[in-house]
Amino acid sequence: MITRWLLVPLAVAALALACDDGEDSGADSVEPLRIGYLADRSGSLAELGDVISVGVELAVQHINEAGGVLGRDVELLFGDTKVNPTQGVEEARRLVEVEGVQAIVGAISSTVTLAVTESVIGPSGVVMITPSASSPALSTSNDNDFLFRSAPSDVAKGVVLAALAEEEGLDNVGLLYRDDAYGQGSAEVFINNFAGNVTAASYSALGQPSYLAELQQAASGGAELLVVIAFPGEAEVFLRESIENEVFTKFVFADATRSEDLAAKIGAEHIDGMKGTAPGSSADEPSTAAWNRAYIAQFGEEPARAYVRGGYDAVIAIALAAEAAGATDSTAIRDQLRNVVQPPGQTVIAGPEGIAAALEAVRNGEEIDYDGAASPLDWNATGDLQTGFVEIWEYRGGKIVPLESRPFDLR
């Protein structure tokens, strides 16, 4: 069983010498692939960072069970951002400059991802694939083509969130959003795509003891429902405050508040039947179905939170690109990323058997097209997903019940 936040693994025995004269074999001369997982472990997104780590570690497990990359096990290291841009940059630098990672999965929040991209990833030329950061601002960051996403941008998610609010029969809503890259981007897309009236209010990303003034501002247009674009820790405070003061008692949720822990803390009865959106997948897709079977076999049930499959896909794409490049150099990995996840090539899928077949095909010099566990990784020129799925879900009895996955196509 995978233990969260443990290194998987940190040391690998050297391969046997192949030549009688004592020279290293080709495999020995290649550095092992070291991937950093940069996420929140102790801040307001710690719940999400912890859950995504399971998908990240599962990917490393499947790769190493299939022989690793270039004859060596993949090594996984961790950095804690605390949802703080300064901390995130420091941890990214440590992972790159001290630990020697050639690629990073993360960060989790858009604000931290943006800071890390422009301070470390772009200047240092290190591949980073974020499984969750969704702000449209990342599409124009100074990343030198080293930043990719395995989850959809809010350009896709915000459209579905607006449609969901309209489908609830609403033409007037309040909107409360986090005043950072995530909240600003999500709010802008929602407002631009909602056909009715929106009365918006933002709150400090540094956290507040009370959100009553912002709640009342969002309610000043006469709306009875609040659209929530927030992190779980903050939402717990202002949802309780809103319910107790009867400012809003009906809500529609963006992706970060898809949390059974949040429902338990607020009281399941207060949000029962209320809906939200999140990155999705389709069980009709062979890769998703294979991954679901493998995950259930190991953990007993499908993951309750979004982004776990995206964390898995990020690691797999990095590993396949390194194998295809024949090197663990970050630029070489970047140059192969799009090649291993897009046509032409043999379609390969997620799960232990699929990853073993994918690595074997690459070792045999074949072209491959990895269809991700979450969605096809059809990256455009800015590293954004062009196609994929957005899930509609509902709180029922404190549990999250997926209702449907809607495809999107931004090509």
Side-chain angles (χ1 to χ4, degrees):
M1 179 174 290
I2 293 176
T3 302
R4 297 176 183 177
W5 300 108
L6 296 180
L7 302 183
V8 206
L10 283 182
V12 183
L15 298 174
L17 295 178
C19 303
D20 291 339
D21 60 6
E23 292 184 0
D24 286 345
S25 68
D28 281 334
S29 65
V30 177
E31 289 290 325
L33 177 60
R34 297 167 67 84
I35 298 175
Y37 177 48
L38 184 65
D40 179 23
R41 295 181 61 184
S42 54
S44 57
L45 279 180
E47 175 191 349
L48 184 57
D50 189 28
V51 169
I52 294 174
S53 75
V54 180
V56 169
E57 294 182 61
L58 185 62
V60 173
Q61 176 185 315
H62 289 173
I63 294 162
N64 289 345
E65 286 175 349
V69 171
L70 302 175
R72 295 185 177 221
D73 277 1
V74 173
E75 301 176 8
L76 185 61
L77 300 98
F78 296 94
D80 182 8
T81 69
K82 301 180 180 179
V83 202
N84 180 293
T86 301
Q87 171 77 9
V89 169
E90 291 175 354
E91 283 290 87
R93 284 184 174 141
R94 179 184 63 81
L95 287 170
V96 172
E97 297 171 5
V98 178
E99 304 294 351
V101 303
Q102 300 102 338
I104 291 176
V105 175
I108 300 302
S109 81
S110 293
T111 299
V112 175
T113 301
L114 187 61
V116 169
T117 296
E118 298 196 334
S119 296
V120 181
I121 297 307
S124 299
V126 175
V127 165
M128 184 163 78
I129 304 179
T130 172
S132 56
S134 57
S135 171
L138 294 170
S139 302
T140 55
S141 63
N142 296 319
D143 69 327
N144 291 322
D145 197 31
F146 280 95
L147 176 66
F148 296 77
R149 304 193 225 203
S150 55
S153 163
D154 285 318
V155 170
K157 290 191 301 170
V159 173
V160 178
L161 184 64
L164 175 61
E166 291 176 13
E167 289 162 12
E168 292 295 290
L170 302 170
D171 60 9
N172 184 23
V173 299
L175 171 64
L176 185 59
Y177 66 92
R178 198 173 201 266
D179 193 11
D180 67 354
Y182 164 65
Q184 293 162 3
S186 298
E188 181 179 1
V189 175
F190 177 86
I191 292 169
N192 289 341
N193 286 276
F194 184 69
N197 180 65
V198 180
T199 304
S202 64
Y203 67 88
S204 172
L206 299 177
Q208 301 176 193
S210 172
Y211 299 83
L212 188 56
E214 288 80 7
L215 288 166
Q216 291 170 337
Q217 179 183 341
S220 63
E224 295 182 355
L225 180 140
L226 181 69
V227 178
V228 177
I229 302 176
F231 291 171
E234 303 144 3
E236 177 191 347
V237 177
F238 70 69
L239 288 174
R240 183 178 291 110
E241 195 170 25
S242 180
I243 293 165
E244 289 176 351
N245 289 277
E246 298 184 341
V247 183
F248 291 100
T249 57
K250 298 178 181 179
F251 309 96
V252 167
F253 297 95
D255 51 336
T257 41
R258 184 187 189 273
S259 167
E260 291 181 356
D261 286 350
L262 176 63
K265 291 173 181 177
I266 293 299
E269 68 277 10
H270 293 301
I271 55 177
D272 198 53
M274 297 178 197
K275 299 175 183 178
T277 61
S281 58
S282 172
D284 293 334
E285 298 294 324
S287 190
T288 301
W291 187 90
N292 288 349
R293 289 192 297 270
Y295 193 94
I296 292 170
Q298 186 144 343
F299 300 105
E301 59 183 359
E302 290 188 27
R305 291 296 303 267
Y307 303 115
V308 179
R309 295 176 184 86
Y312 180 95
D313 286 341
V315 173
I316 296 300
I318 290 166
L320 293 175
E323 189 73 48
T328 55
D329 172 75
S330 195
T331 299
I333 293 171
R334 187 274 311 272
D335 291 345
Q336 286 293 331
L337 269 176
R338 291 181 178 87
N339 295 338
V340 297
V341 301
Q342 296 174 3
Q346 172 189 339
T347 299
V348 293
I349 63 175
E353 296 83 5
I355 299 309
L359 286 167
E360 183 65 21
V362 174
R363 291 166 189 153
N364 291 335
E366 300 174 27
E367 291 186 337
I368 63 166
D369 172 13
Y370 172 65
D371 278 355
S375 64
L377 299 175
D378 54 350
W379 285 310
N380 64 13
T382 62
D384 290 340
L385 294 181
Q386 299 180 94
T387 63
F389 300 90
V390 177
E391 179 187 89
I392 305 294
W393 52 271
E394 181 178 67
Y395 281 118
R396 290 184 192 169
K399 299 295 183 181
I400 291 169
V401 178
L403 300 179
E404 62 173 303
S405 279
R406 298 185 182 180
F408 68 86
D409 191 334
L410 303 178
R411 292 174 293 185

